[in-house]
Amino acid sequence: DAKTTQPPSMDCAEGRAANLPCNHSTISGNEYVYWYRQIHSQGPQYIIHGLKNNETNEMASLIITEDRKSSTLILPHATLRDTAVYYCIVRVATGGTSYGKLTFGQGTILTVHP
Amino acid sequence: EPEVTQTPSHQVTQMGQEVILRCVPISNHLYFYWYRQILGQKVEFLVSFYNNEISEKSEIFDDQFSVERPDGSNFTLKIRSTKLEDSAMYFCASRKEVEGNQPQHFGDGTRLSIL
């Protein structure tokens, strides 16, 4: 699975949009981009994923560049409860010899302040 | 919303003892995983499990580790003879599909402390 690069930390003011970047320049055509977050040693929480189109759900939006070498997770109105470590992970869809394991990096520590 | 549940939330065990960590995956999910996170370190994959067989395991998952789905609802991780370095958070995850891009969903983990 392709390697990802994320900034180690970011700050965001409460109520503002948090834009978390991820670089995955070696991504291959069949790899998806997944975002998870981990709040204070709880289990990783799934946020969103996509292949090449932008995606939005009730938690966040995912913007993937046209060349798919980078992506941005957007939390539109960050709250104090969004303070967490955010992980960007790329992997192929499960099937064949791919069994779905996730490879976590260090992630980005997002701190939302009042 | 259905969720993965893990018990106990905290387990304290003497070194050399056996420990079993329990997970109840989301009910219609077919694929199951264990991960661990040593304090201050990354979340690491241990094993994936489907159709009552291990499908993939990491180098961490040595002969001291085993997994089992003893009935239709539980998924367990057993460590046969615990070592100090097994102290970590252990997370169970499950996903619905056998194939495809659907995400895994994680439980809140068991904190294992080896004394």
Side-chain angles (χ1 to χ4, degrees):
Chain A
D1 294 331
K3 184 177 167 53
T4 63
T5 304
Q6 299 179 253
S9 64
M10 294 184 66
D11 286 334
C12 178
E14 189 176 21
R16 304 296 293 267
N19 296 279
L20 292 99
C22 179
N23 182 287
H24 32 79
S25 58
T26 59
I27 194 169
S28 55
N30 61 348
E31 287 183 307
Y32 288 76
V33 180
Y34 293 81
W35 284 83
Y36 283 79
R37 72 181 182 184
Q38 190 174 25
I39 298 172
H40 193 55
S41 292
Q42 294 177 18
Q45 178 188 23
Y46 166 74
I47 301 172
I48 199 166
H49 74 287
L51 182 63
K52 51 187 172 183
N53 297 323
N54 297 338
E55 301 288 344
T56 295
N57 62 20
E58 64 278 4
M59 289 182 71
S61 294
L62 173 61
I63 308 297
I64 303 174
T65 56
E66 196 169 336
D67 63 7
R68 302 211 321 122
K69 293 186 176 182
S70 65
S71 60
T72 301
L73 178 75
I74 301 172
L75 308 178
H77 305 286
T79 71
L80 299 178
R81 286 193 300 269
D82 292 322
T83 293
V85 181
Y86 286 77
Y87 300 100
C88 168
I89 301 168
V90 295
R91 72 160 179 86
V92 296
T94 307
T97 58
S98 171
Y99 306 107
K101 78 173 183 186
L102 296 174
T103 301
F104 288 80
Q106 298 287 4
T108 295
I109 301 171
L110 174 70
T111 303
V112 181
H113 52 85
Chain B
E1 184 174 326
E3 56 184 29
V4 176
T5 57
Q6 292 187 242
T7 55
S9 57
H10 190 190
Q11 174 80 47
V12 182
T13 301
Q14 292 287 332
M15 187 172 59
Q17 295 297 304
E18 174 183 287
V19 67
I20 296 175
L21 309 182
R22 301 181 193 280
C23 169
V24 178
I26 296 172
S27 65
N28 60 350
H29 283 198
L30 299 175
Y31 232 116
F32 314 113
Y33 303 85
W34 283 100
Y35 294 79
R36 80 171 186 191
Q37 186 175 32
I38 295 170
L39 185 64
Q41 298 187 23
K42 295 187 278 191
V43 177
E44 301 173 289
F45 167 78
L46 292 178
V47 66
S48 61
F49 188 88
Y50 166 68
N51 199 25
N52 279 320
E53 287 185 346
I54 291 173
S55 46
E56 187 175 11
K57 61 183 180 179
S58 71
E59 60 273 13
I60 302 168
F61 195 89
D62 61 21
D63 291 345
Q64 293 299 312
F65 291 87
S66 62
V67 288
E68 191 178 30
R69 187 153 163 84
D71 53 42
S73 59
N74 291 283
F75 179 51
T76 62
L77 174 69
K78 181 162 73 175
I79 309 174
R80 245 176 289 280
S81 177
T82 50
K83 303 188 278 285
L84 293 176
E85 54 264 37
D86 294 327
S87 294
M89 286 290 294
Y90 287 81
F91 297 109
C92 173
S94 68
R95 62 191 299 272
K96 188 173 183 180
E97 295 174 324
V98 176
E99 297 186 350
N101 61 73
Q102 289 306 301
Q104 297 171 31
H105 296 275
F106 286 77
D108 273 338
T110 293
R111 179 174 301 281
L112 179 62
S113 300
I114 308 300
L115 304 178

